[in-house]
């Protein structure tokens, strides 16, 4: 007789917050899954059975009311790196562990950061629209972009993702500056040709492209505001692949409208999606993608496999490979 599997709460298959079906199959090999809508039909019946909460795209939300209805819960496993959506001390206070999935998302996020930078600099989206427009019979010569090769890139937050962005930028012969709370080793800097800027202001003044790759904490919320944007070159582009709250969006709109900076390329905003009448959506020098930094099939599979690894460790009483105990105010 097959041993009964441990119960785990998940969001759904498909939909706005759901897994691809082939990813759910990975979890089903080890856990008895209950979907959130099914759970809500009878929380009192299902709650005591659940030992694992798998969060995908921040859902199901780890609200106190939900957590208190899961008396047997051992671990909350969140897909992705960011933990700003989790009250880790509160969850730990319930005797429940927390894990995320670092490392596996780094390549895809770094790839998208470079994609946004290149697409914005070379006006790829505008060029596509002209090329497919049925009214286009002549190619305009006015679609001029910004040179990427040999330009200066400033990376705010040189953790794993930031470092991978630096590795990619080296191939474009970019001069790489970075600002971090902790300076990286000389070997790390030499490998990518990066120079440390102790002052964020110095990085902003010198960079042609500024890429933000920090975790969202109380220290980094609103990190880039009116003052910081005013320090940037009027020819500079801001790229954000961290969290929307790191940038003061009203200040960004003003800088883009006034010519304070040249352009912005954003994979993150606040909220997501933006209200349909938000001024950022109507600016010609803004490129926005809908938080797709980790959206590749390989990365999604890797996230689920790492979620599974942490969950199995928790239910078997083993150390979690990626346990998050307290949110630390360090940049990525």
């Amino acid at each position: 007789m097959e041993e009964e599997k441990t119960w785990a709460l998940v969001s759904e298959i498909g939909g706005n917050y759901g897994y691809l079906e082939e990813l759910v199959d990975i979890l089903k090999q080890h856990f008895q899954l209950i979907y959130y809508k099914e759970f809500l039909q009878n929380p009192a019946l299902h709650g005591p059975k659940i030992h694992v909460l798998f969060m995908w795209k921040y859902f199901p939300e780890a609200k106190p009311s939900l957590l208190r209805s899961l008396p047997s819960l051992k671990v909350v496993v969140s897909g992705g790196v960011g933990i700003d959506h989790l009250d880790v001390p509160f969850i730990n206070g319930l005797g429940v562990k927390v894990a995320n999935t670092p490392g596996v998302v780094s390549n895809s996020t770094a790839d998208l950061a470079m994609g946004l930078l290149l697409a914005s600099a070379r006006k790829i989206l505008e060029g596509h629209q002209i090329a497919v427009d049925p009214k286009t019979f002549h190619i305009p010569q006015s679609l001029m972009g910004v040179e990427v090769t040999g330009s200066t890139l400033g990376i705010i937050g040189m953790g794993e993702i930031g470092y991978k962005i630096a590795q990619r930028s080296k191939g474009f012969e970019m001069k790489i500056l970075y600002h971090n709370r902790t300076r990286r080793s000389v070997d790390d800097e030499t490998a990518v040709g990066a120079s440390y800027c102790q002052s964020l202001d110095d990085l902003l003044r010198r960079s042609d492209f500024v890429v933000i790759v920090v975790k969202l904490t109380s220290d980094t919320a609103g990190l880039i505001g009116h003052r910081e944007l005013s320090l940037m070159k009027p020819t500079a582009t801001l790229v954000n692949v961290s969290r929307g709250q790191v940038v003061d969006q009203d200040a960004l709109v003003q800088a883009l409208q006034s010519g304070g900076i040249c352009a912005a390329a954003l994979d993150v905003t606040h909220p997501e999606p933006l209200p349909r009448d938000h001024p950022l959506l109507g600016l010609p020098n803004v490129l926005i993608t809908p938080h797709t930094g980790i959206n590749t099939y390989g990365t999604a599979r890797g996230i689920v496999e790492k979620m599974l690894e942490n969950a199995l460790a928790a239910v078997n009483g083993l150390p979690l490979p990626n346990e998050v105990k307290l949110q630390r105010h360090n940049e990525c």
Side-chain angles (χ1 to χ4, degrees):
M1 183 176 178
E2 185 180 352
E3 184 179 350
E4 186 175 348
K5 295 175 182 176
T6 302
W7 283 60
L9 179 61
V10 299
S11 55
E12 59 187 352
I13 297 178
N16 293 329
Y17 304 101
Y19 301 76
L20 299 171
E21 191 162 351
E22 57 265 36
L23 300 182
V24 171
D25 289 341
I26 296 173
L27 300 178
K28 281 181 177 179
Q29 293 175 26
H30 299 273
F31 288 96
Q32 175 66 48
L33 302 184
I34 180 167
Y35 299 104
Y36 187 58
K37 287 181 180 178
E38 181 185 356
F39 166 80
L40 289 178
Q41 292 173 8
N42 198 335
L45 173 64
H46 301 308
K49 304 176 187 176
I50 295 167
H51 287 70
V52 177
L53 171 59
F54 286 117
M55 296 184 70
W56 185 257
K57 298 183 179 179
Y58 316 127
F59 194 80
E61 295 180 63
K63 294 180 178 179
S65 57
L66 173 61
L67 297 173
R68 291 192 178 105
S69 70
L70 308 175
S72 303
L73 190 65
K74 293 183 177 180
V75 64
V76 174
V77 187
S78 181
V81 178
I83 54 170
D84 48 279
H85 57 293
L86 295 170
D87 187 341
V88 177
F90 174 78
I91 298 171
N92 288 163
L94 297 175
V96 177
K97 295 183 177 182
V98 176
N100 61 350
T101 63
V104 69
V105 305
S106 301
N107 279 320
S108 58
T109 305
D111 287 348
L112 186 73
M114 291 305 298
L116 285 169
L117 188 156
L118 290 165
S120 177
R122 299 306 307 272
K123 300 186 182 297
I124 290 174
L125 182 60
E126 296 94 319
H128 169 76
Q129 291 169 338
I130 290 171
V132 301
D133 190 331
K135 298 177 183 177
T136 297
F137 296 101
H138 302 283
I139 305 298
Q141 298 303 307
S142 59
L143 191 67
M144 302 295 289
V146 176
E147 194 78 25
V148 174
T149 299
S151 63
T152 299
L153 172 67
I155 301 172
I156 304 175
M158 182 79 101
E160 187 168 2
I161 297 171
Y163 195 75
K164 286 183 178 293
I165 293 170
Q167 289 175 324
R168 287 151 175 74
S169 305
K170 187 179 179 184
F172 287 90
E173 302 172 13
M174 300 179 86
K175 302 177 187 71
I176 301 167
L177 310 175
Y178 77 97
H179 173 72
N180 220 36
R181 289 178 58 146
T182 305
R183 183 170 182 172
R184 297 195 68 121
S185 70
V186 173
D187 288 346
D188 283 350
E189 292 180 351
T190 302
V192 294
S195 299
Y196 178 63
C197 289
Q198 188 167 359
S199 164
L200 174 61
D201 290 3
D202 184 39
L203 179 145
L204 294 170
R205 289 189 183 100
R206 295 166 60 188
S207 300
D208 298 306
F209 299 91
V210 174
V211 181
I212 306 172
V213 208
V214 298
K215 292 178 181 177
L216 176 61
T217 70
S218 58
D219 292 335
T220 61
L223 180 68
I224 303 299
H226 287 283
R227 191 188 74 84
E228 290 74 24
L229 290 165
S230 71
L231 297 175
M232 293 175 63
K233 299 177 182 180
T235 54
T237 296
L238 183 72
V239 180
N240 188 7
V241 292
S242 60
R243 289 289 188 270
Q245 296 96 313
V246 174
V247 177
D248 179 336
Q249 290 180 163
D250 292 338
L252 180 60
V253 168
Q254 183 177 338
L256 290 163
Q257 289 176 330
S258 66
I261 66 172
C262 176
L266 315 170
D267 187 45
V268 289
T269 59
H270 182 67
E272 293 174 351
L274 288 171
R276 296 298 85 187
D277 60 349
H278 195 283
L280 275 176
L281 302 181
L283 294 177
N285 50 349
V286 177
L287 174 61
I288 301 177
T289 50
H291 205 151
T292 56
I294 63 174
N295 285 23
T296 70
Y297 287 104
T299 298
R301 185 179 184 87
I303 289 173
V304 170
E305 289 172 345
K306 194 170 279 284
M307 291 170 73
L308 179 63
E309 183 183 359
N310 282 279
L312 289 172
V315 299
N316 290 310
L318 300 173
L320 276 61
N322 307 110
E323 182 172 0
V324 179
K325 293 185 178 179
L326 288 174
Q327 187 164 347
R328 298 177 61 189
H329 293 196
N330 288 337
E331 290 162 351
C332 297

